[in-house]
Amino acid sequence: MNAAELAGFLRTRRARVQPMDVGLEEIGRRQTCGLRREEVAGRAGVSLDYYTRLEQGRRLRPSRQVVVALARALKLSDDECNYMLGLVGEVPLPTPSTPKVHAGALRLLDQLDDIPAMVLNSRYDILAWNRMATALVGDLERIPEGERNTLRWLFSGPAREVSPHDHAQLGRSCVADLRTTGRYPEDPGVRQLVHELSQESAEFAALWASHEIGINRTMTKRMVHPLAGFLELNCELLAIPESSQRLMFYTATPGTATHRALRSLRETVEESFNC
């Protein structure tokens, strides 16, 4: 909790907001630049004394609900609200969820012609993929849209892409990541996925009940491909700016058997595409 930084931030943002910006009438001459403390406190639903102590840098720790209320009262952007949440040790607001794939991510998929890559949303639905991803995991076009979910494959499907050795670690990290997004239980799609997987998989239910938190950024996946044989892949997850979506791509250490196998898969893809 950084009380001094929060105090300074609140003071500068309060001075920035004019009464007319929040629907208040300017009656007479105001001694205060921007809103008065009592006006901010009233709009946020907190006492004047409590808000005053926050601006004075007292070592209070406002709840997430209070921080969000203050952000609304001060007409802050999501980035500014997330900054305040970080100052008090809270996770940021979840980014808006949209089924539309980010245009920049689609362009990047097209350019990654030698790396298997796909776009996932916050609940691990596969939204888009390139040809190398098809060569690696199979023809995703033949899978119904509602079933293109890597968590479903991991916990309630064959999950053939993951070896038993990696399954437990991968499942644990993915469930912790799903909870960390902050979309449960507000997001209906995430809530429904958690409910269904909890019913279908005792393993998922136990992991979810453990309340572990952690962002998935990188992992190792081992699999046996029908054409390329045994593969040991580095799986990277990169957040797509201003989106709840992420780019997931698979690479291999240069000079390894897996690296050579991926190059062979690429040649197979190119031959199929040119036919």
Side-chain angles (χ1 to χ4, degrees), residues 5 8 11 15 64 74 76-77 82 103 119 134 143 145 158 178 200 230 233 251:
E5 185 68 18
R11 291 194 299 269
R64 180 182 182 84
L74 293 168
L76 302 186
S77 67
N82 285 336
V119 176
T134 298
I143 300 175
E145 184 176 347
L178 182 67
E200 297 168 4
F230 177 79
L233 299 160
T251 62

Side-chain angles (χ1 to χ4, degrees), residues 103-122:
L106 288 176
R107 290 193 294 270
L108 188 55
L109 282 181
D110 288 339
Q111 294 174 21
L112 294 174
D113 56 356
D114 59 345
I115 297 176
M118 56 186 69
V119 176
L120 308 178
N121 62 13
S122 57

Side-chain angles (χ1 to χ4, degrees), residues 59-94:
R59 295 196 64 80
L60 304 173
R61 190 185 185 282
S63 67
R64 180 182 182 84
Q65 181 179 3
V66 167
V67 171
V68 172
L70 287 172
R72 290 172 179 164
L74 293 168
K75 299 184 70 66
L76 302 186
S77 67
D78 285 348
D79 287 342
E80 291 171 319
C81 181
N82 285 336
Y83 176 71
M84 281 209 303
L85 287 170
L87 291 178
V88 302
E90 293 282 349
V91 298
L93 299 172

Side-chain angles (χ1 to χ4, degrees), residues 13-53:
R13 291 310 181 268
R14 178 168 62 86
R16 186 180 69 177
V17 183
Q18 299 304 311
M20 65 183 68
D21 296 335
V22 295
L24 296 175
E25 294 184 16
E26 291 193 68
I27 301 176
R29 188 171 182 177
R30 297 174 66 94
Q31 300 295 323
T32 303
C33 180
L35 296 180
R36 300 186 179 97
R37 285 176 174 172
E38 58 265 31
E39 291 169 337
V40 176
R43 284 175 52 80
V46 300
S47 70
L48 173 59
D49 178 66
Y50 183 81
Y51 180 74
T52 299
R53 285 187 289 159

Side-chain angles (χ1 to χ4, degrees), residues 21-273:
D21 296 335
V22 295
L24 296 175
E25 294 184 16
E26 291 193 68
I27 301 176
R29 188 171 182 177
R30 297 174 66 94
Q31 300 295 323
T32 303
C33 180
L35 296 180
R36 300 186 179 97
R37 285 176 174 172
E38 58 265 31
E39 291 169 337
V40 176
R43 284 175 52 80
V46 300
S47 70
L48 173 59
D49 178 66
Y50 183 81
Y51 180 74
T52 299
R53 285 187 289 159
L54 285 177
E55 278 204 5
Q56 290 174 342
R58 304 288 182 87
R59 295 196 64 80
L60 304 173
R61 190 185 185 282
S63 67
R64 180 182 182 84
Q65 181 179 3
V66 167
V67 171
V68 172
L70 287 172
R72 290 172 179 164
L74 293 168
K75 299 184 70 66
L76 302 186
S77 67
D78 285 348
D79 287 342
E80 291 171 319
C81 181
N82 285 336
Y83 176 71
M84 281 209 303
L85 287 170
L87 291 178
V88 302
E90 293 282 349
V91 298
L93 299 172
T95 52
S97 179
T98 172
K100 185 177 180 180
V101 182
H102 195 278
L106 288 176
R107 290 193 294 270
L108 188 55
L109 282 181
D110 288 339
Q111 294 174 21
L112 294 174
D113 56 356
D114 59 345
I115 297 176
M118 56 186 69
V119 176
L120 308 178
N121 62 13
S122 57
R123 51 173 258 154
Y124 285 78
D125 291 319
I126 301 174
L127 305 180
W129 57 93
N130 63 5
R131 294 198 301 271
M132 278 295 290
T134 298
L136 182 66
V137 303
D139 189 357
L140 293 169
E141 284 286 358
R142 296 186 178 183
I143 300 175
E145 184 176 347
E147 298 177 16
R148 294 178 200 148
N149 182 279
T150 58
L151 281 180
R152 291 188 190 279
W153 300 349
L154 185 60
F155 288 103
S156 62
R160 65 175 179 82
E161 68 171 279
V162 182
S163 73
H165 176 77
D166 295 325
H167 182 92
Q169 182 178 357
L170 182 60
R172 181 177 179 179
S173 63
C174 288
V175 173
D177 180 84
L178 182 67
R179 187 178 281 282
T180 306
T181 64
R183 294 190 172 278
Y184 182 87
E186 285 77 12
D187 189 313
V190 173
R191 187 171 64 247
Q192 180 66 21
L193 179 68
V194 170
H195 173 74
E196 291 177 2
L197 290 180
S198 296
Q199 297 295 315
E200 297 168 4
S201 168
E203 180 187 7
F204 177 89
L207 288 169
W208 186 256
S210 70
H211 287 258
E212 288 196 35
I213 298 296
I215 299 176
N216 235 349
R217 294 187 176 92
T218 183
M219 67 194 85
T220 299
K221 286 188 178 181
R222 299 173 182 86
M223 60 182 289
V224 178
H225 191 274
L227 296 178
F230 177 79
L231 301 175
E232 183 170 342
L233 299 160
N234 302 313
C235 178
E236 309 286 345
L237 280 163
L238 300 180
I240 298 173
E242 299 180 359
S243 169
S244 62
Q245 299 167 8
R246 288 180 288 183
L247 179 70
M248 182 169 75
F249 58 94
Y250 298 90
T251 62
T253 304
T256 62
T258 298
H259 186 254
R260 291 190 292 272
L262 283 181
R263 294 181 64 181
S264 296
L265 275 180
R266 179 189 178 188
E267 293 173 0
T268 302
V269 169
E270 290 177 346
E271 290 174 0
S272 300
F273 184 74

